[in-house]
Amino acid sequence: MKNIISKIIYSKKLVIMPVLVLALFISSCEKVIDLAPYSSISEATAYSTPSLVELSVIGMYNGAQRGYYPANGTGRGYPFGAAFVEQGDCRGEDAVNLQAFYQFTYEGTYTTSTANNEAYWSDTYRLINRCNMVIDGVNDAVKKGIITDVVGNQYLGEARFMRGIAHLELLFHFARPYKATAAASHQGVPYRTKAYTTQVAIDDGSKQSRNTVAECYAKILEDLNFAEANLPGKSARSGNAKIVRATKGAVIAYKTRVYQHMWDWANVIAEGEKLKALGADGYTLTTNPEGVFVSNYSNTESIFSMENSANNNPGSNGQLANMYNGKARALVCISPIVWRNSYWLADDKRRTALTYKASSGLVFTEKYKDYTTYSDAGPVIRYAEVLLNLAEAYARRNTGSDLANALVNLNLVRNRALATPATQAYTAASFADNTEMINAILAERRIEFCMEGRRWPDIHRLMLAIPAKLANGNPPAAAFTLGTPYTGPYGVVSVPYDNYKYLWPIPQIEINANPTLAAEQNPGW
Amino acid sequence: MLFSLFLFAGSLAIAQTVQITGTVTSSEDGLPVPGVSVIVKGTTLGALTGADGKFVLAAPQGAQSLVFSFIGFRTKEEPISGRTTLDIVLEQDLFKVDEVVVVGYGVQKKREVTGSIATVKGDALASLATPSFDAQLAGRSAGVQVTTRTGVLGEAPRMRIRGVGSITSGTYPLVVVDGVPIFTGDQGGAASTNALGDINPSDIESMEILKDGSGTAIYGSRASNGVILITTKRGSGGKFKVNYSNYFGVAQPVKLFDLLGVDDFVTISNEKRSNRGQSAWASNDGAAYPGQVVSTDWQKAVLRSNARQQDHNLAFSGSSEKSSYYFSLGYTKQEGVTKPNEMERFSVRANADQKVRKWLTLGTNISVAKTDYYGLNTGNNSLSGNIFSAIRQLPNTPIYNASDPTGYNIEAASPNLVGKWNNNATIGDNLPNIVYVLDHNAQNSKIFRTIGDAYAQFNILPYLNFKTQIGIDDSQSEGFQYWDPIHGDGRSSNGYIYNDYRNQMRWNFQNILSFNKTFGDSHNLAATLVSEVQSQQINSFWGDGSNLSNDFFRHNLITGSYGVQGSGGSLTENGFVSYAGRLNYNYKGKYFIQGSVRYDGISSLPEENRYGLFPGASVGWTLSKESFMSALNNIFSDVKLRASYAKVGNTDIGYYPYFGLYGAAKYADYNGIAFSQAGNDQLKWETSTKYDFGLDMQFLEGKYKFTFDYYMNNQDGLILSAPTAPSLGIPNNSINKNIGGMKNWGYEFSGEAFIIRTSDLVWSADANVTFAGNEVQSLYNDLDMIYNYTIIRVGESYRSIYGYDYRGVNPANGNPLYAKADGQIVQGNIPTSTYVNYDPADPTNVSVAAVQLGNADKKVLGSSIPTYFGAVNTTASYKGFDLSIMARFSGGNMVMNRTRMDLLNQNFTNNGKEILGRWQSVDQPGDGMTPKLWASGGNFVNLSDQASTRWVEKGNFFRFSTLSIGYNFPKDLIKKANIESLRIFAQAQDMFLFSKYKGIDPEMETDGTDYNGTPRQRVVTFGINLGL
C-alpha cells in the first residue's frame, strides 16, 4: 500500500493537483446551495420595519384592485377594481352584453367552473386573507414596538374595513338576501377572521362552515365599527389617498349600504346623517353629474374608489373604459331598458354628458374615459348613493317628516342632472304615496348609477326576479329611440327569485378542496 | 476516504515497459486502418494507429494482451505472448455487436451494460429538416415519446421517457452535452424558443437515452425524467476531412380545416339568428358594397403553403495519435407554415483534444449559436391568435380594402375589428383583421448561446485516471414585441412595444476518478467516483411602452416615443452539490453487477431536507457464455438477462418552493408587498423508484437483435401544488407538498434485423413497440384535481379526459341530450338555457325541470396518454442508391377535440363543415349529433370549456414520418474530381397520416386537449452531402 502511494507521488507529482482541486471545491460548495430569494421577502420579515408594514398594507389594496384571473394569470380587477362594476351590471338588465366576454354572467349560463365566478370568489377571499395577515402582522409589529399604537390602529382600521366590505360583496353573489328568512338565519358565507399561511391553519380553516347571513352582517358591522373608530377622516389624508384609501367617511358611507341591505332604515338614516355632519371630512355632490368622473381622483363626491394607473390596472381584459367605452372595445352598452325608462327625462344631462352614441346607434357609457392608458378609478361608493340611500330609508320609514326628507335627498341628486330643475324637479305633489316615491328613488338609482355595477345588489336586496334582458349581441339602433319604454323583444329570459341560478354556485375548485363547503353548496347546484 | 477504495483495489505495481509495434489492416481490402485504438488490456495505456496503420506502444512488462478497437470493426484482443511486433487484421463489424455506449460520466461496451440505454446515431437525424433535433427522436426508441404538437418553429416538442414523471413539477429529461448538463425548455424572449434548437444536429455524433434506474442513478436527483446524453463529433481516423452538406426544402401544413364556403356560411349564420327570432347577420351582397361579392380563404391567408427551408453545414476534422479536432460551421434558415414564423441559426463548434504528455490529455468542446425566432400570437383563445382567428374570419369579407386608409378591410366605425363588408353585423368575438395583425405585429426572440467545457484528464496509473471538467451554459436572450396601434391582441392601447433581456448562466464543475482493471483474467472491476457542483443564475429585465406617438417607432423601444412606460425584472439562483460513486464488476463477461450511490444537495429545499441519497443497483447475466449454451452459440450469439433498481430524484421543482414569501404587489403606483407563496418547511425530495427487467438477444452473430424490457417507475412524494380551498386565500390556491404518488409501467420490445447483405444489396430493418400504463396513486387528501377537460384522480391515468356523456340530439326539437350520473337523460333546452328531463315517449315535453348538469355527472372518458406506441424503420441500399422509411404509430389515448368545438361555435363567425349536419326540423334532423343552431348560444349548446363524449375522440394513428432516398456517386467517378464522397438525397417528412381523428392531427394535443393549434408541417427537402 505504502509502495503504491509513494509510487504515485514519485512518478506523477501532478496527482496532488486533482486532490487539491477536489479538496478546494468540497469546502466551498455549501455556499452554492445555501441561497435565499432576491425577488421576494420572507414572510418572517414582512412586518419587521415600519416601511415594510406600510408596504404590506398597500399590498392588501393591491388584492382589491388587481385580483388574479386564473385563465390568464393576470389581474382583471376582481373584486373591487373593475369586475365589481362589470359583473354587477351584467347580472342586471340595464346593460347589454354585446360580445362573448360577459356572456356567462349575462345569460346566466355560469356553472360551478365558470372563470368569472371562480375569480370573484377566490379573489375576494384572497383579499380577505391579506387583510387578516395585515391584522396579525400589525398587531405583532405594535407589540414589538416597531410601530406605534396609533399608526397600528389606523392600519387595523383599513384592514377591517376591507375585510368587512369584501364579505359583503360575497354575500351579494353567493347568498340569498338578508330578508330571505325572518332572522336572516339562512346560509351566508364563511366569515374569515384568521390568517391562513401554514398547513395547520389551512386544515383548521377547511373545517369552517358557512356562517348565517345574520352572523355575517353582525361581523361586517363589528369590523366597520372598529374601522370607523380608528380611521382618520379624509382631511387627514392627502392627494388621491383621500379617495383611494379607507377613511372614516368611507366606512360610514358603507354602513348605509350595509343597513340598507338589512332593511334597517333607522340605521341607514343615522349613518347617512352622520356622514352629512362630518364637516371638513364630509362630502358634497359635484356641480355637474360628470364632475365625479372627469376628475375621478380629486372631487368632492367620490367617497371610496379603487385607484388605477397607467402602469398598474385591470388590463385590456378588465379595465372599465376599455370594456365599456364605445370608442374602445365596446363590449357592453347601456340597455334600451334603462335608456328608455320613463323616469329618465329626454333632456337629462346624464344622457349627453355621460354617454356616447356610436355610429351603430348603440349607446355607451362615457363615465370611463381613459381607454388608452387605463387610469380611470374604479368607483366603489360615492356621495350620491348615500343621499339616495337616505332618501329611500326616509321614504320607507314614512313617519312624520320622513317623506319631506326623502324628497330633499332625492332632489339633491336628481336636480343637478335636470335640464330645467325649476320645472322638472319632483315636488311633494309628484307622488301619491311613499310607494310611488320609492319607485322614483329606485329608478333614480338605475339612472344615476347606470354602468357603475349597482344594479345587481339592488335586484338582490329587493328580492326581484332577474328581469328578462335583450339578447346577447348588438341590439338594432332603433331600440334606442326614446319616447316609449322598451317592451321587447327580449333574448334572455327572466330568472325567478327562487331559481337556483339566482345565486352563483360555490366554485368547483372550492368544492374540490374543501369538504366542509362541499356539503354546503347553494341548493340546486 | 474516497481514495482509499481505489488504493485498496489497486494492487499492481508499475514495472518496466516494453515497446510493441505493429500494423493494423482491414480484412475486407487488406488496406491499413488508421485511427485504431490499441490498448493494453485492463489499463488505460494505449496508442492510435497512424495513417499507415502503424502503432507504437509502451506496454508494461507482464502485460498480457492488447485490445484493438475502431468504429465499424469488431474489437480484437490479441495476446502479446512475449512478442514485440503484432500485425493485426481487423474484421468489419457488420452488425455492430461491439458498440460502445456513453453512460453517465463514462463509456461502457454495449454488451456489458446492465441498464436500459437506447442509442441514436447522429447520422440518422443529421440531414432531416427540423428546427431542433429533439423532434426527430420520435419513434427512435422504445419507451421514448416525443410529440411535436404544432407547426410553430420554436415550440418545443413534448418529451417523455417512460411516462409522465411528475404531476406538477418538471417532466422534461435531463440533457447533457459532452458532460455538461444544459438548460432545456424555453429560453425567454417574446417568441417561443426551444433550448435544444441551439444545438446543430449535424454536430451530433450520438445520443444515448438513459431510461432505467441503472443508467440514470448516477445522475441521482436529476434523473427522474430520464437522461439524454449527447456526444458531439470529434476528429478521428487519422485523416484530415472536410464535409459539406446542405438541404433545401419546402414545408406546408399537413392539413387544413374544412371551413364553410360563402353560401353555406350565410345560410348557417342566418339560421343561427332566425332560430332565435332575430334578424339576419350575414349577407353576400348588401348595401355597403353592392355587387362586390367576395370569397376569402382566411386560413390560406394565414398559413404558408410553400415555406422555404435551407440548411448548410461545413465541418473540418482531423486526428493524429496525439490530437484530434473537429470544427464546424452551420447555418439554417427555416420558414414556418404559419406567417410570419421563422427561425434562423448560425452555429460554430470547436472540439479539440490534445495529448500533452503521456499522463495528461487536455481538451475543449465549445459551441456558440445564435438562434433567432420570429414568432406570433398563437394563443388558443386570443383575439389575435393565428388559428383562433383564422377559423372564425368571415369568408364573405375581403382581406384588403383599397378605400380604407390602411389598405386593409377594417371596420371604419370600430377600427379594432375586421370590416363587416356586406354583412349586417360586425364579426363576433371582437376579431381584428388577422392578416393585418400578422403583417404589422412582431414577436421575436434572439438567443445567443455558448455551451462549452474544458477538461484535463490525468492518467495516474494505467488503470486509474482522473478527469476534471468545467462546463458552462450561457444563454442570453433578447425579446421584442410590437403591437400596432390599430390591431394589437384585439384592440390595442394605441400601440405597444416591448424589449427584454434574459441571461441564464450555469456553471458545472465535475471531478471524475475512474478505475478499470482486470484481475486474474476473469475479474473485471471498474469504479467511478464523481463530485459535481452546479450553480446557475437567471436574471432578466424588460421595458415596455404603450400609447405610441407614431407607428414609425416600431422597431425597438425608442426613448420618448411612447406615453406609458413600464419596466421590470427578476433575479433567481439555484445550485446543487453531489458526490457519487459507481462500481461495476463482471466475472468473465458473464456475470455483471453494478452499484451506484449519489448524495445530492440542492438549494431548493429547506436546510433540514436539503440532501438526498439516491442508490441504484443492477445485475446482468450473459447466458450465452454459459457452457450449457455453447452448443447453441451459432444461433444465440449473445443472450443477456438484466435487472435494475434505483431511486432517483427530480430537481425541477422551482427555486424556493418551501419558503413563505411576500412578493411585490403594487396598488396603482404605490409600492406594496403581499403574500405570494405559502411556505412548507417540511418539503423534501421528490423521488422516483425505477425497476427494470430486460433481456437482450443477438442471433446469428448479431444479424438479428431483440431487446425486451419491463419497467416500473414509482414516483413518490411528488411535490404537488396541493390545491387549497380558495376561500382560505392562499396565493394561487395551492401549497407545495410532497403528497403525490404516481406509477408508470410498460413493456418495451425492439428488434433489429440485417435481412439481406450482398455486395450490391443491403437491407435492414428495426422496429420498436411500447405498451405503457400510468396510474395516479395518491394526491392531497386524495382529492381530485379537476381541469376544464381533464382530471387527475387516484386510480386513473394522469390527466384523464373528464366530461359529460353526450347522447346526441333530441329529434323532436334539436336540443342536446346528456346522461346524468343516475342514468336519467336530460335535454339542454336551448331557448331557456336550462335542463329538463327527456322522455323518449314524449320528446317534445320540456316542462319537467332537471337538476343542472354538474361535476357529479362527469366521468372519466379515457386516458390522455397513449397506451401503445412504436415505430418501424427500414433502410435499403442497392449499389449507390439508398432508401429509408420510418413509420410511427400510437394509440389507446383519447383526445378532447376542443378545436372542433370552436369550429361549431354559435357566434357570428365562420364554422367547420360539420355544422351542416345540424338539426333543422323534425323532417331534417341532420346527423343526429349536432343540435339546433342558436345565435350566441355556444356556451350552452356546446358546453364550452367542458368535455363531453361529443368532442372526445380516439387518438390512434399510423404515419409515415420520414421517407428518404439518396444516391452515392461511385467512388471511381468522383475521384477524378478529387472528391472523397458525394451523396444527393431527397426526403419527405409527415407525408401520410392514417387516422380516424377528425382534427388535423391527433398528436396536436396538450394534456389531452387539441385546442386551436397551428397545423404541423410536412417538409420535402433535397440536398447533398459532400466529403473532401
Side-chain angles (χ1 to χ4, degrees):
Chain A
M1 186 69 72
K2 193 178 160 199
N3 182 24
I4 290 172
I5 295 170
S6 64
K7 206 81 184 178
I8 292 170
I9 294 169
Y10 169 74
S11 62
K12 317 268 153 60
K13 287 202 179 79
L14 62 109
V15 98
I16 293 163
M17 228 171 87
V19 174
L20 270 179
V21 167
L22 210 66
L24 266 176
F25 95 87
I26 287 174
S27 62
S28 67
C29 53
E30 278 307 314
K31 266 191 291 187
V32 168
I33 59 169
D34 192 15
L35 305 174
Y38 292 110
S39 305
S40 305
I41 293 165
S42 156
E43 65 181 330
T45 56
Y47 298 89
S48 58
T49 68
S51 88
L52 284 171
V53 175
E54 167 79 9
L55 287 177
S56 292
V57 171
I58 296 293
M60 179 178 73
Y61 286 96
N62 161 280
Q65 177 222 353
R66 282 290 299 268
Y68 174 87
Y69 192 73
N72 62 0
T74 61
R76 286 188 175 182
Y78 290 86
F80 287 102
F84 170 77
V85 171
E86 291 149 353
Q87 297 294 322
D89 286 332
C90 290
R91 292 201 76 180
E93 79 282 32
D94 289 347
V96 182
N97 184 46
L98 306 177
Q99 299 286 350
F101 218 91
Y102 299 105
Q103 198 168 352
F104 287 108
T105 301
Y106 186 74
E107 296 187 329
T109 44
Y110 32 78
T111 66
T112 54
S113 50
T114 305
N116 304 326
N117 310 21
E118 258 180 38
Y120 220 107
W121 175 270
S122 63
D123 279 358
T124 310
Y125 273 115
R126 192 159 153 271
L127 165 62
I128 290 166
N129 197 34
R130 285 189 185 179
C131 295
N132 287 325
M133 291 178 76
V134 164
I135 291 167
D136 284 0
V138 166
N139 281 330
D140 192 47
V142 170
K143 205 188 298 171
K144 289 179 178 156
I146 294 165
I147 53 172
T148 64
D149 263 351
V150 179
V151 173
N153 280 339
Q154 262 190 42
Y155 287 148
L156 292 176
E158 289 184 84
R160 294 190 65 174
F161 171 69
M162 295 306 291
R163 182 171 83 183
I165 68 172
H167 282 103
L168 183 67
E169 209 50 42
L170 288 170
L171 289 173
F172 291 167
H173 292 289
F174 297 95
R176 292 261 158 203
Y178 191 85
K179 291 268 280 181
T181 55
S185 56
H186 53 289
Q187 285 182 323
V189 294
Y191 201 99
R192 305 270 189 205
T193 55
K194 286 185 189 145
Y196 300 103
T197 59
T198 63
Q199 187 59 49
V200 175
I202 288 168
D203 292 341
D204 186 43
S206 301
K207 292 180 191 136
Q208 186 183 344
S209 280
R210 295 175 74 164
N211 293 86
T212 66
V213 169
E215 286 165 357
C216 289
Y217 272 86
K219 286 173 187 291
I220 291 168
L221 286 169
E222 196 185 317
D223 276 341
L224 295 186
N225 288 333
F226 176 90
E228 184 186 343
N230 289 285
L231 279 172
K234 72 171 182 182
S235 60
R237 297 205 187 273
S238 60
N240 295 5
K242 289 175 188 289
I243 294 174
V244 303
R245 281 183 76 166
T247 56
K248 190 185 291 288
V251 182
I252 298 168
Y254 234 96
K255 281 165 75 181
T256 69
R257 191 183 275 178
V258 174
Y259 284 122
Q260 181 190 50
H261 279 262
M262 298 169 74
W263 295 60
D264 180 347
W265 311 114
N267 272 314
V268 175
I269 293 165
E271 297 295 334
E273 295 299 343
K274 191 182 348 171
L275 188 76
K276 281 184 159 180
L278 275 184
D281 288 328
Y283 301 86
T284 55
L285 294 175
T286 56
T287 316
N288 298 309
E290 66 271 28
V292 69
F293 297 101
V294 169
S295 42
N296 46 25
Y297 296 114
S298 59
N299 64 73
T300 57
E301 185 176 334
S302 294
I303 300 176
F304 187 57
S305 299
M306 284 286 112
E307 182 165 348
N308 294 302
S309 69
N311 284 311
N312 186 12
N313 53 61
S316 60
N317 287 328
Q319 194 269 337
L320 288 164
N322 204 35
M323 308 308 266
Y324 276 11
N325 196 297
K327 295 159 194 163
R329 292 187 68 178
L331 298 181
V332 186
C333 74
I334 295 172
S335 173
I337 295 172
V338 65
W339 186 245
R340 288 162 60 177
N341 188 306
S342 55
Y343 286 96
W344 198 349
L345 300 185
D347 55 0
D348 189 306
K349 288 177 189 166
R350 291 170 293 198
R351 289 192 187 276
T352 43
L354 289 169
T355 67
Y356 162 77
K357 192 163 202 161
S359 59
S360 56
L362 272 53
V363 178
F364 293 90
T365 185
E366 281 269 278
K367 286 181 173 172
Y368 317 106
K369 302 165 196 306
D370 183 10
Y371 48 79
T372 303
T373 67
Y374 304 166
S375 64
D376 286 294
V380 177
I381 196 162
R382 59 185 171 104
Y383 189 53
E385 183 186 335
V386 176
L387 293 175
L388 291 179
N389 292 349
L390 264 177
E392 185 181 340
Y394 280 120
R396 293 206 188 254
R397 192 165 70 176
N398 194 21
T399 57
S401 59
D402 282 348
L403 286 185
N405 280 329
L407 186 65
V408 169
N409 285 304
L410 170 60
N411 277 343
L412 275 175
V413 175
R414 184 170 177 266
N415 286 359
R416 74 166 165 176
L418 296 178
T420 45
T423 57
Q424 292 168 319
Y426 290 133
T427 64
S430 305
F431 310 107
D433 55 19
N434 76 324
T435 310
E436 278 193 9
M437 190 175 209
I438 290 166
N439 287 342
I441 294 166
L442 292 176
E444 196 59 33
R445 294 175 68 87
R446 291 168 66 181
I447 298 160
E448 177 65 24
F449 306 123
C450 181
M451 308 305 277
E452 288 184 61
R454 302 311 313 144
R455 183 58 187 148
W456 171 251
D458 275 358
I459 292 172
H460 185 258
R461 76 181 162 96
L462 298 170
M463 300 193 285
L464 306 174
I466 303 175
K469 308 174 188 184
L470 272 75
N472 197 86
N474 284 12
F480 290 88
T481 308
L482 296 178
T484 54
Y486 185 80
T487 53
Y490 300 99
V492 179
V493 295
S494 168
V495 177
Y497 169 74
D498 55 6
N499 189 284
Y500 70 95
K501 279 190 188 174
Y502 201 78
L503 298 188
W504 283 349
I506 295 177
Q508 194 63 39
I509 48 172
E510 179 76 33
I511 300 295
N512 291 345
N514 186 341
T516 309
L517 292 192
E520 299 174 0
Q521 176 63 286
N522 285 328
W525 287 103
Chain B
M1 188 202 85
L2 299 182
F3 278 103
S4 60
L5 184 70
F6 286 89
L7 298 175
F8 172 74
S11 64
L12 196 90
I14 307 281
Q16 294 291 310
T17 59
V18 182
Q19 182 160 310
I20 302 177
T21 60
T23 309
V24 181
T25 53
S26 161
S27 69
E28 196 175 40
D29 48 16
L31 294 173
V33 186
V36 175
S37 143
V38 186
I39 291 189
V40 180
K41 194 180 179 197
T43 74
T44 53
L45 286 181
L48 287 177
T49 58
D52 51 2
K54 288 201 161 72
F55 69 94
V56 182
L57 178 71
Q61 196 123 46
Q64 295 296 307
S65 53
L66 296 185
V67 179
F68 297 82
S69 60
F70 186 57
I71 296 169
F73 289 86
R74 301 193 71 156
T75 299
K76 185 162 188 174
E77 186 180 328
E78 182 76 12
I80 300 171
S81 316
R83 290 177 291 174
T84 53
T85 309
L86 272 76
D87 290 334
I88 298 297
V89 177
L90 284 185
E91 278 180 48
Q92 280 200 307
D93 181 17
L94 300 177
F95 309 126
K96 299 176 193 148
V97 289
D98 270 336
E99 255 178 319
V100 165
V101 296
V102 179
V103 297
Y105 310 97
V107 294
Q108 278 180 6
K109 248 185 214 165
K110 184 147 193 173
R111 55 163 56 173
E112 293 180 359
V113 166
T114 48
S116 178
I117 299 178
T119 301
V120 179
K121 291 290 177 198
D123 319 348
L125 319 182
S127 52
L128 290 170
T130 189
S132 57
F133 69 87
D134 46 337
Q136 300 299 342
L137 289 177
R140 305 277 167 186
S141 162
V144 179
Q145 267 175 300
V146 179
T147 314
T148 299
R149 293 168 291 183
T150 78
V152 178
L153 306 178
E155 287 186 2
R158 178 179 62 208
M159 191 163 346
R160 289 174 176 163
I161 296 177
R162 292 190 166 175
V164 183
S166 183
I167 292 179
T168 54
S169 302
T171 59
Y172 204 81
L174 173 72
V175 180
V176 179
V177 178
D178 295 323
V180 183
I182 61 162
F183 287 109
T184 53
D186 197 295
Q187 302 297 287
S192 302
T193 63
N194 175 3
L196 299 187
D198 301 328
I199 294 168
N200 181 354
S202 297
D203 287 340
I204 296 176
E205 174 67 37
S206 74
M207 280 170 280
E208 261 79 21
I209 303 169
L210 313 184
K211 300 191 284 189
D212 73 336
S214 157
T216 57
I218 192 75
Y219 284 101
S221 63
R222 292 169 293 174
S224 97
N225 297 312
V227 181
I228 298 178
L229 304 177
I230 294 171
T231 310
T232 59
K233 288 180 178 162
R234 325 197 74 75
S236 69
K239 278 195 291 192
F240 170 74
K241 279 190 266 187
V242 176
N243 193 284
Y244 167 74
S245 64
N246 68 21
Y247 65 73
F248 294 88
V250 176
Q252 58 177 206
V254 286
K255 196 174 157 190
L256 297 178
F257 296 103
D258 206 4
L259 302 179
L260 294 182
V262 171
D263 295 328
D264 283 338
F265 163 73
V266 172
T267 308
I268 291 292
S269 298
N270 292 340
E271 189 179 320
K272 288 175 184 170
R273 293 280 282 181
S274 59
N275 281 351
R276 206 172 173 169
Q278 294 174 328
S279 60
W281 261 335
S283 168
N284 273 338
D285 195 11
Y289 298 90
Q292 298 187 48
V293 181
V294 296
S295 169
T296 303
D297 189 334
W298 285 92
Q299 226 181 155
K300 286 193 174 153
V302 167
L303 299 173
R304 289 188 179 113
S305 56
N306 58 345
R308 289 162 301 173
Q309 309 193 335
Q310 57 170 308
D311 187 271
H312 302 271
N313 279 291
L314 183 61
F316 309 88
S317 66
S319 75
S320 70
E321 197 180 330
K322 296 213 158 161
S323 65
S324 80
Y325 65 92
Y326 171 87
F327 184 74
S328 81
L329 293 165
Y331 172 73
T332 191
K333 183 169 180 173
Q334 304 177 22
E335 286 181 348
V337 293
T338 182
K339 294 173 187 169
N341 185 213
E342 199 177 301
M343 169 193 182
E344 187 174 25
R345 178 184 58 222
F346 301 87
S347 61
V348 182
R349 171 169 286 279
N351 292 351
D353 306 281
Q354 176 78 42
K355 197 164 184 181
V356 182
R357 295 282 182 274
K358 265 185 191 165
W359 44 267
L360 176 65
T361 308
L362 297 177
T364 60
N365 302 289
I366 296 168
S367 85
V368 178
K370 183 172 186 311
T371 317
D372 295 352
Y373 296 92
Y374 298 88
L376 67 156
N377 185 345
T378 55
N380 54 21
N381 195 21
S382 303
L383 301 183
S384 293
N386 59 339
I387 298 300
F388 178 91
S389 186
I391 60 175
R392 283 173 165 76
Q393 294 286 333
L394 312 183
N396 62 350
T397 57
I399 297 169
Y400 305 103
N401 178 3
S403 61
D404 189 276
T406 62
Y408 288 78
N409 177 27
I410 284 169
E411 188 67 20
S414 317
N416 55 317
L417 304 180
V418 60
K420 66 174 183 280
W421 205 244
N422 276 325
N423 292 303
N424 306 323
T426 49
I427 192 165
D429 296 341
N430 260 323
L431 293 176
N433 183 327
I434 186 66
V435 177
Y436 184 95
V437 168
L438 296 177
D439 287 353
H440 290 79
N441 293 347
Q443 208 167 323
N444 309 333
S445 300
K446 299 186 177 187
I447 316 287
F448 188 80
R449 182 102 176 261
T450 309
I451 302 173
D453 65 82
Y455 73 87
Q457 183 163 315
F458 305 85
N459 298 318
I460 302 166
L461 289 170
Y463 45 84
L464 182 65
N465 76 57
F466 176 79
K467 184 179 176 186
T468 179
Q469 173 183 298
I470 179 108
I472 59 149
D473 181 357
D474 183 21
S475 169
Q476 301 177 29
S477 74
E478 271 180 49
F480 173 71
Q481 189 170 2
Y482 168 69
W483 284 354
D484 186 84
I486 292 177
H487 286 349
D489 178 15
R491 197 191 160 272
S492 166
S493 45
N494 193 29
Y496 176 77
I497 195 155
Y498 167 93
N499 278 98
D500 75 8
Y501 171 83
R502 177 181 164 101
N503 185 12
Q504 303 191 147
M505 174 67 193
R506 172 185 287 182
W507 60 258
N508 175 289
F509 182 38
Q510 295 173 14
N511 291 280
I512 306 164
L513 191 62
S514 315
F515 171 92
N516 199 332
K517 189 160 167 49
T518 301
F519 300 90
D521 207 30
S522 43
H523 302 279
N524 303 302
L525 185 68
T528 309
L529 280 183
V530 179
S531 76
E532 186 174 359
V533 193
Q534 181 172 302
S535 172
Q536 72 182 42
Q537 196 177 61
I538 300 179
N539 74 301
S540 67
F541 55 85
W542 57 267
D544 72 354
S546 59
N547 196 10
L548 301 192
S549 62
N550 191 284
D551 66 356
F552 173 83
F553 300 105
R554 68 178 179 275
H555 301 287
N556 197 74
L557 281 174
I558 303 293
T559 308
S561 70
Y562 40 87
V564 179
Q565 47 191 0
S567 65
S570 73
L571 174 61
T572 47
E573 282 183 325
N574 88 11
F576 77 81
V577 293
S578 335
Y579 311 96
R582 177 174 58 206
L583 203 61
N584 291 68
Y585 167 79
N586 77 66
Y587 176 72
K588 289 187 170 170
K590 212 192 281 184
Y591 309 108
F592 300 87
I593 182 158
Q594 174 182 305
S596 66
V597 63
R598 184 158 177 135
Y599 186 60
D600 282 2
I602 191 172
S603 61
S604 311
L605 289 171
E607 211 171 340
E608 305 74 53
N609 303 333
R610 206 160 266 170
Y611 282 91
L613 191 69
F614 302 95
S618 57
V619 291
W621 176 27
T622 305
L623 265 76
S624 49
K625 288 202 174 171
E626 296 292 350
S627 51
F628 61 79
M629 289 283 283
S630 59
L632 297 170
N633 271 5
N634 51 348
I635 303 169
F636 297 101
S637 346
D638 193 33
V639 178
K640 189 170 72 185
L641 284 170
R642 323 175 248 110
S644 78
Y645 153 86
K647 203 174 122 185
V648 295
N650 189 350
T651 54
D652 194 0
I653 53 178
Y655 287 91
Y656 302 100
Y658 68 95
F659 250 110
L661 295 175
Y662 270 58
K666 284 168 79 91
Y667 169 39
D669 288 337
Y670 310 101
N671 289 321
I673 55 172
F675 197 28
S676 57
Q677 177 174 285
N680 176 359
D681 56 9
Q682 305 297 308
L683 212 59
K684 55 182 198 286
W685 285 94
E686 187 171 307
T687 58
S688 169
T689 313
K690 294 176 185 262
Y691 301 90
D692 183 278
F693 302 95
L695 169 67
D696 294 325
M697 293 165 90
Q698 298 196 0
F699 306 94
L700 305 177
E701 300 209 335
K703 193 173 177 192
Y704 299 101
K705 295 178 192 172
F706 173 77
T707 300
F708 164 76
D709 278 281
Y710 166 75
Y711 68 85
M712 187 167 73
N713 297 346
N714 274 325
Q715 274 87 4
D716 206 4
L718 293 179
I719 294 179
L720 212 58
S721 309
T724 56
S727 68
L728 300 171
I730 304 293
N732 302 317
N733 297 323
S734 67
I735 182 166
N736 293 312
K737 298 186 75 175
N738 293 93
I739 30 127
M742 192 159 63
K743 192 164 90 173
N744 286 288
W745 68 94
Y747 302 88
E748 299 173 353
F749 301 86
S750 40
E752 220 176 316
F754 295 83
I755 302 164
I756 298 176
R757 188 183 160 88
T758 67
S759 57
D760 282 340
L761 177 65
V762 177
W763 179 26
S764 66
D766 60 83
N768 65 73
V769 61
T770 305
F771 299 92
N774 173 287
E775 190 183 301
V776 176
Q777 308 241 286
S778 64
L779 292 170
Y780 173 57
N781 290 344
D782 286 348
L783 289 170
D784 293 343
M785 295 171 73
I786 300 172
Y787 303 86
N788 280 4
Y789 317 106
T790 57
I791 186 170
I792 301 177
R793 171 180 279 178
V794 173
E796 300 287 348
S797 96
Y798 172 76
R799 286 259 192 184
S800 289
I801 311 282
Y802 184 61
Y804 297 113
D805 183 359
Y806 183 65
R807 295 297 179 90
V809 168
N810 181 347
N813 55 19
N815 284 338
L817 302 176
Y818 299 91
K820 283 184 72 74
D822 60 5
Q824 169 72 46
I825 308 292
V826 295
Q827 52 182 317
N829 191 29
I830 293 174
T832 58
S833 298
T834 53
Y835 289 90
V836 294
N837 280 354
Y838 169 73
D839 177 2
D842 185 13
T844 53
N845 184 351
V846 291
S847 62
V848 185
V851 178
Q852 163 98 352
L853 282 182
N855 263 14
D857 300 313
K858 289 186 178 177
K859 52 187 185 185
V860 171
L861 303 178
S863 163
S864 68
I865 303 172
T867 56
Y868 66 87
F869 56 91
V872 182
N873 195 5
T874 180
T875 308
S877 60
Y878 178 72
K879 294 190 172 167
F881 290 94
D882 58 77
L883 170 77
S884 83
I885 299 171
M886 178 161 159
R888 289 197 295 118
F889 57 91
S890 167
N893 61 317
M894 303 298 276
V895 179
M896 164 64 198
N897 194 341
R898 178 66 171 82
T899 312
R900 211 176 113 218
M901 185 193 282
D902 267 31
L903 288 166
L904 292 175
N905 79 76
Q906 305 283 323
N907 296 340
F908 185 41
T909 57
N910 201 7
N911 293 111
K913 286 214 168 108
E914 186 181 351
I915 206 165
L916 296 172
R918 81 285 187 199
W919 183 96
Q920 293 178 75
S921 65
V922 175
D923 298 329
Q924 288 177 282
D927 58 17
M929 293 303 284
T930 313
K932 177 164 74 173
L933 304 182
W934 197 253
S936 313
N939 288 344
F940 186 77
V941 175
N942 294 340
L943 278 183
S944 300
D945 301 330
Q946 306 194 61
S948 75
T949 48
R950 184 176 172 199
W951 313 110
V952 175
E953 302 176 36
K954 284 184 177 163
N956 305 357
F957 71 84
F958 178 89
R959 72 168 83 240
F960 284 98
S961 45
T962 53
L963 303 170
S964 161
I965 183 160
Y967 177 68
N968 279 293
F969 285 86
K971 291 216 165 172
D972 42 343
L973 190 77
I974 53 176
K975 264 213 167 121
K976 289 170 194 155
N978 261 338
I979 294 170
E980 193 85 353
S981 65
L982 175 63
R983 176 174 180 260
I984 56 171
F985 61 89
Q987 281 178 339
Q989 293 179 53
D990 263 344
M991 235 13 216
F992 305 106
L993 170 71
F994 303 93
S995 176
K996 286 184 183 159
Y997 184 68
K998 292 177 182 163
I1000 287 190
D1001 187 327
E1003 281 200 301
M1004 286 173 52
E1005 51 82 15
T1006 300
D1007 291 326
T1009 306
D1010 167 353
Y1011 194 4
N1012 292 337
T1014 300
R1016 286 162 55 121
Q1017 62 175 12
R1018 168 182 301 148
V1019 201
V1020 178
T1021 54
F1022 303 89
I1024 63 163
N1025 199 325
L1026 175 71
L1028 295 173

